[in-house]
């Protein structure tokens, strides 16, 4: 069953409690499979021209009111703090945003552990501090639909003045929707309470305020919202991080640490927490199960209650680290306030086992790690500091995430087993950061407010 078909089967208009007609569709709408798309980064050179572009784009940004309906393409727009300032948003409103957003991603390098080869001074030009003011993301079902959507956006850009296109990047994946390493991606998505969709299995819906500003969060109250209300309400925050994936180095690592093809696949699955099809280890411990991996009603319907020691899915597996579910953690954490909506996008050639480290010099494979949350900046900085670049919360000391962590020195991946655990050494940085930014995804009301200078 496709992503859309699965959503339709679980959706009921009677359960909708949110103002879907004011929320950007991209917040709730999953990408199609297969998908193609474009990220475009814009710089506002002149406030009036920038507002004119926002005003022109606003009618082309679909709302979440029809988020389970068929769409050939849809566009989302997000704005950095520097972008809001360049658009002329009043100082009082600018100061009402969270401090990390005001500072921008590059200035938060220490909190994000973006050092060495991931440091901001090595980022691509489009992500240099203060450069990316407006980010457009277009998702489409096929190239024809994408071309039409791009034409609309570029026509509005050309009709405006004072805005410069500073970078574009195409992305896409086939019906398998796999990441650069050949694993089905973005399976684990939270169900947003009030969005109209029933949760699956034992999962419970997460309070809408964890994702939509102005709604009650898991604490029973809304998180802090930018002011005034027409600017902040029904918006959300976005983290965008572009990674170049060292697929060949990962392939070489797997081959160097497992003899047979079956053992190599199992080691790779242990590191990710899922098989390449998307089937979770916890439901398919011994071998891949493609039917399970493709089944949206089953491939995320599990917990770790029966695997407390990590004998099936290691505690340090990428998937288990970033969503521990009901795992017992050494450092107590409310996992429900660290849930994120993923909108990651893959670019480059599809994974094949014959790629080696020598091929990584091309730099043509990677992923845009994009997520949406009302607590986006607290969450990404927590993830980077604790769940990705440390192991204390799972009693593994300095051991890092084997897939997305920065390994300035070769690291270790621990596989629990009896009678003694196994440690695989030589883990290196398999995803190098090429840039990113902290962004605000306004509501449709807020886009009009910005475009029309509603503060006047």
């Amino acid at each position: 069953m496709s992503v859309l078909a699965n959503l339709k089967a679980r959706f009921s208009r009677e359960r909708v409690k949110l103002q879907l007609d004011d929320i950007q569709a991209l917040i709730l709408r999953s990408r199609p499979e297969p998908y193609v798309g474009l990220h475009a980064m814009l710089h506002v050179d002149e406030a009036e021209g920038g507002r004119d572009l926002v005003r022109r784009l606003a009618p082309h940004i679909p709302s979440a009111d029809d988020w389970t309906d068929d769409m050939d393409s849809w566009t989302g727009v997000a704005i950095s703090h520097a972008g809001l300032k360049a658009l002329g948003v009043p100082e009082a409103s600018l100061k009402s945003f969270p401090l990390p957003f005001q500072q921008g991603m590059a200035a938060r390098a220490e909190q994000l552990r973006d050092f060495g080869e991931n440091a901001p001074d090595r980022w691509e030009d489009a992500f240099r501090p203060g450069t990316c003011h407006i980010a457009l993301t277009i998702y489409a079902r096929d190239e024809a639909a994408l071309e039409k959507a791009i034409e609309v956006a570029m026509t509005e850009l050309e009709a405006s003045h004072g805005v410069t296109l500073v970078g574009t990047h195409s992305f896409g994946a086939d019906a398998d929707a796999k990441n650069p390493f050949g694993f089905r991606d973005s399976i684990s998505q939270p169900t947003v309470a009030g969005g109209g969709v029933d949760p699956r299995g034992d999962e419970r819906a997460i309070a809408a305020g964890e994702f939509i500003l102005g709604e009650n969060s898991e604490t029973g109250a809304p998180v802090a919202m930018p002011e005034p209300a027409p600017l902040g309400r029904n918006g959300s925050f976005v983290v965008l991080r572009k990674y170049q994936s060292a697929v060949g180095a990962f392939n070489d690592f797997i081959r160097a640490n497992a003899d047979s093809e079956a053992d190599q696949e199992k080691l790779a699955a242990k590191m990710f927490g899922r098989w390449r099809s998307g089937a979770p280890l916890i439901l398919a411990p011994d071998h891949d199960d493609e039917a399970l991996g493709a089944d949206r009603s089953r491939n995320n319907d599990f917990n770790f209650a029966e695997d407390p020691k990590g004998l099936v899915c290691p505690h340090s597996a990428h998937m288990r680290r970033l969503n521990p579910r009901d795992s017992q953690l050494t450092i107590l954490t409310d996992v429900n306030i660290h849930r994120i909506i993923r909108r990651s996008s893959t670019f480059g050639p599809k994974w094949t086992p014959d790629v080696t480290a020598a091929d990584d010099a091309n730099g043509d494979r990677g992923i845009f790690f994009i997520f949406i949350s009302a607590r986006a900046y607290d969450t990404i900085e927590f993830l980077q500091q604790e769940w990705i670049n440390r192991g204390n919360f799972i009693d593994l000391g300095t051991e890092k995430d084997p897939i997305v962590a920065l390994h300035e020195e070769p690291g270790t991946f621990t596989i629990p087993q009896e009678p003694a655990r196994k440690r695989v050494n030589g883990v290196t940085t398999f995803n190098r950061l090429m840039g990113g930014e902290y962004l605000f995804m306004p509501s449709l009301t807020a886009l009009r407010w910005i475009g029309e200078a509603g503060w006047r």
Side-chain angles (χ1 to χ4, degrees):
M1 183 183 292
S2 70
V3 177
L4 183 59
N6 183 271
L7 287 172
K8 284 183 175 181
R10 296 158 52 208
F11 180 80
S12 170
R13 182 68 61 177
E14 295 176 355
R15 289 190 289 270
V16 173
K17 305 297 181 184
L18 305 177
Q19 295 176 305
L20 296 182
D21 60 351
D22 196 36
I23 299 168
Q24 288 197 45
L26 189 62
I27 293 178
L28 295 181
R29 186 175 180 82
S30 297
R31 68 191 184 198
E33 296 176 358
Y35 67 88
V36 290
L38 182 80
H39 296 301
M41 289 72 180
L42 309 174
H43 183 86
V44 177
D45 306 305
E46 193 272 319
E48 184 176 349
R51 292 196 298 270
D52 179 57
L53 176 61
V54 172
R55 184 167 56 249
R56 289 173 177 275
L57 288 174
H60 304 297
I61 309 303
S63 78
D65 196 40
D66 301 315
W67 70 291
T68 60
D69 291 346
D70 290 315
M71 292 184 188
D72 289 332
S73 65
W74 59 97
T75 301
V77 60
I79 307 173
S80 68
H81 190 266
L84 291 172
K85 185 174 184 179
L87 289 166
V89 172
E91 189 68 20
S93 292
L94 294 174
K95 289 182 177 179
S96 69
F97 282 87
L99 180 61
F101 175 70
Q102 294 183 42
Q103 294 177 331
M105 184 177 289
R108 305 291 291 184
E110 182 174 351
Q111 290 85 352
L112 290 163
R113 303 297 187 261
D114 290 339
F115 306 132
E117 59 184 326
N118 283 358
D121 61 5
R122 301 189 64 176
W123 291 0
E124 293 178 347
D125 289 343
F127 299 107
R128 298 286 182 174
T131 300
C132 178
H133 287 165
I134 301 175
L136 296 181
T137 292
I138 303 173
Y139 274 103
R141 297 189 178 282
D142 54 42
E143 292 290 350
L146 177 61
E147 185 176 341
K148 290 180 181 179
I150 292 175
E151 182 179 1
V152 169
M154 292 303 109
T155 296
E156 300 297 3
L157 175 60
E158 291 168 4
S160 300
H161 63 277
V163 180
T164 302
L165 179 65
V166 294
T168 62
H169 205 126
S170 298
F171 59 84
D174 63 17
D176 292 335
K178 293 185 175 181
N179 66 23
F181 300 93
F183 287 78
R184 183 178 286 272
D185 190 31
S186 292
I187 292 174
S188 178
Q189 300 281 12
T191 299
V192 181
V197 171
D198 273 343
R200 293 180 291 196
D202 295 331
E203 176 193 32
R204 75 168 179 85
I206 305 299
E210 294 298 322
F211 313 102
I212 308 297
L213 294 168
E215 298 290 337
N216 285 340
S217 70
E218 286 288 314
T219 67
V223 300
M225 185 177 75
E227 297 293 340
L231 172 63
R233 184 168 180 79
N234 290 325
S236 195
F237 294 113
V238 181
V239 170
L240 182 153
R241 290 167 73 83
K242 179 184 177 182
Y243 289 95
Q244 177 181 315
S245 298
V247 175
F250 180 78
N251 285 351
D252 288 352
F253 174 82
I254 296 301
R255 282 189 286 262
N257 289 282
D259 296 326
S260 69
E261 183 177 335
D263 287 343
Q264 291 167 15
E265 286 298 296
K266 191 161 189 175
L267 174 56
K270 290 284 188 181
M271 294 174 72
F272 271 90
R274 294 182 184 268
W275 299 93
R276 293 190 194 275
S277 72
L281 279 172
I282 207 72
L283 298 181
D286 299 319
H287 55 78
D288 202 350
D289 183 337
E290 293 189 3
L292 171 60
D295 189 341
R296 291 283 175 177
S297 66
R298 296 192 297 144
N299 65 13
N300 201 44
D301 185 13
F302 65 90
N303 56 47
F304 297 113
E306 296 183 4
D307 187 33
K309 296 182 179 181
L311 296 175
V312 177
C313 181
H315 293 286
S316 200
H318 172 63
M319 177 193 71
R320 192 163 183 172
R321 275 178 171 267
L322 295 191
N323 187 6
R325 302 181 190 237
D326 58 348
S327 298
Q328 293 297 312
L329 306 181
T330 302
I331 299 176
L332 294 179
T333 305
D334 185 345
V335 299
N336 290 322
I337 66 171
H338 294 298
R339 295 300 304 277
I340 58 178
I341 294 173
R342 292 175 172 84
R343 292 292 176 260
S344 298
S345 51
T346 294
F347 63 88
K350 189 173 182 177
W351 175 84
T352 56
D354 58 308
V355 176
T356 68
D359 300 309
D360 290 337
N362 295 328
D364 57 353
R365 288 178 168 87
I367 191 167
F368 280 87
F369 175 58
I370 302 171
F371 78 74
I372 299 168
S373 166
R375 305 179 193 269
Y377 314 127
D378 288 344
T379 296
I380 187 60
E381 293 178 6
F382 170 83
L383 293 179
Q384 286 288 111
Q385 291 174 29
E386 299 295 338
W387 288 1
I388 291 176
N389 286 300
R390 291 178 183 166
N392 288 331
F393 75 106
I394 47 177
D395 282 335
L396 287 175
T398 59
E399 184 170 318
K400 300 180 179 183
D401 186 296
I403 305 301
V404 298
L406 171 66
H407 293 273
E408 296 183 277
E409 297 180 357
T412 298
F413 175 63
T414 299
I415 303 176
Q417 56 187 28
E418 295 178 336
R421 61 187 178 182
K422 177 181 179 181
R423 286 182 167 171
V424 185
N425 298 315
V427 178
T428 57
T429 301
F430 296 127
N431 282 286
R432 181 196 160 202
L433 185 65
M434 305 301 290
E437 189 54 278
Y438 284 165
L439 302 163
F440 171 56
M441 182 166 280
S443 67
L444 300 187
T445 293
L447 287 176
R448 293 189 291 269
W449 186 84
I450 294 169
E452 297 166 6
W455 52 87
R456 292 178 177 174

